[in-house]
Amino acid sequence: MVKSNPRKNDPRRDQPTDEAHQDEFVFGRHAVEEALREGSNKTINKLFVQKDLNSDPVRVIVEKAKKQKILVSQVPKVKLDLLTDGGNHQGVMVAMAPYAYATIDELFAHAEGHDPFFLILDNLEDPQNLGSILRTADAVGVDGIIIPKHRAVGLTSTVAKVSTGAIEHVPVARVTNLAQTIKTLKERGLWIFGTAMDGQDFRQWNAKGKVALVIGNEGKGISPGLAKLMDATLTIPMVGHVQSLNASVAAGILMYQGFTSRGGK
């Protein structure tokens, strides 16, 4: 998995991008199964299977790939170790054409029929955090994620692996200017929420309506320029000795509050 919001037979997958000049690798049984379920021989170039690995889950994966006319290659474990940089590949990996990022309009289309709930990530740098956020976003029905093009992590293979398949279902838009994008979202009726130490207790947050939640950088929080654009801010009260949370943990807490206050929809 790796580079954005794939949809089955999505024509955007055939469009070249600045970053996409070579295959991306998706590995691990669950991630590979999800890729095969959502993809096709137009989006998946090859399935790599560890030699002499004949477990039932692997046989199912191989049969699925063959039915889709995807090339299957038996390779030694050392090659999979090398290609995945020592990752837990569980004996299977697929080479996929890089994904195209969604547009803002496509995020709105994904929310058709209900008020959108978007997540904006301000210069998040850790792929583990982005992968975890994608996983939670899928669980709570976030309609799309917006990330900046520069000075931030994109949709890498690590992100895809950590997301355990969520990357296949949550559209991600990458924009040049987050501030301008937020202004555009406001013009389209969204209320923008950020985080701040002096913000409203998140447990009182009413996230009904058209909303976007901004999560800041792991160490610096929301950048000053974006902070000025917030319609309201939220804080997560803490009583322990540590006064800050991991970005993906904070995002998860706030997303679930949003999900709950929107009636679980």
Side-chain angles (χ1 to χ4, degrees):
M1 280 123 92
V2 101
K3 266 190 171 233
S4 174
N5 167 51
R7 291 281 185 269
K8 192 171 184 179
N9 301 321
D10 187 343
R12 292 179 293 119
R13 295 292 293 270
D14 297 326
Q15 298 174 0
T17 63
D18 293 342
E19 314 82 11
H21 298 298
Q22 59 187 12
D23 289 344
E24 297 287 355
F25 297 130
V26 179
F27 55 89
R29 291 174 192 169
H30 180 82
V32 167
E33 287 169 354
E34 189 71 17
L36 289 172
R37 183 160 45 246
E38 294 294 321
S40 70
N41 58 9
K42 293 182 179 179
T43 59
I44 300 175
N45 296 329
K46 184 183 292 187
L47 169 68
F48 294 91
V49 180
Q50 183 179 321
K51 284 183 177 178
D52 304 320
L53 196 60
N54 296 310
S55 65
D56 288 341
V58 171
R59 281 198 295 270
V60 170
I61 288 173
V62 170
E63 290 172 4
K64 174 71 172 175
K66 288 181 176 178
K67 285 181 180 178
Q68 294 180 226
K69 299 185 179 187
I70 295 168
L71 182 63
V72 178
S73 178
Q74 300 281 341
V75 297
K77 180 178 181 295
V78 65
K79 182 170 183 177
L80 289 176
D81 291 341
L82 179 63
L83 291 174
T84 62
D85 195 24
N88 182 24
H89 52 73
Q90 299 175 301
V92 289
M93 180 186 76
V94 290
M96 300 185 68
Y99 301 151
Y101 286 91
T103 65
I104 297 298
D105 283 340
E106 286 168 335
L107 264 58
F108 276 95
H110 190 64
E112 186 176 1
H114 61 267
D115 289 331
F117 180 19
F118 296 149
L119 191 66
I120 300 172
L121 305 180
D122 181 18
N123 293 330
L124 212 67
E125 298 174 347
D126 187 345
Q128 298 279 343
N129 279 337
L130 180 53
S132 296
I133 287 171
L134 273 164
R135 190 172 180 175
T136 305
D138 179 56
V140 302
V142 167
D143 296 300
I145 294 176
I146 301 169
I147 62 175
K149 186 174 183 180
H150 304 294
R151 297 182 299 279
V153 65
L155 296 176
T156 68
S157 56
T158 299
V159 172
K161 177 65 177 176
V162 174
S163 81
T164 63
I167 197 172
E168 301 284 353
H169 304 289
V170 182
V172 178
R174 193 163 69 157
V175 300
T176 302
N177 189 315
L178 275 183
Q180 185 56 52
T181 298
I182 288 175
K183 292 176 183 178
T184 298
L185 294 178
K186 286 187 171 188
E187 291 171 357
R188 297 180 71 162
L190 269 75
W191 193 265
I192 312 298
F193 292 86
T195 55
M197 292 296 292
D198 59 351
Q200 176 190 34
D201 187 321
F202 83 99
R203 292 168 292 187
Q204 299 170 5
W205 180 31
N206 181 352
K208 290 181 179 178
K210 302 176 180 180
V211 301
L213 171 65
V214 181
I215 300 296
N217 173 273
E218 290 91 347
K220 301 176 182 177
I222 297 175
S223 56
L226 292 190
K228 295 177 182 178
L229 299 175
M230 300 299 101
D231 292 310
T233 57
L234 308 167
T235 190
I236 301 174
M238 289 177 281
V239 297
H241 299 289
V242 177
Q243 292 301 305
S244 64
L245 294 172
N246 173 277
S248 65
V249 173
I253 291 172
L254 294 172
M255 280 190 282
Y256 266 104
Q257 172 60 23
F259 174 70
T260 302
S261 72
R262 291 166 67 89
K265 297 181 181 179

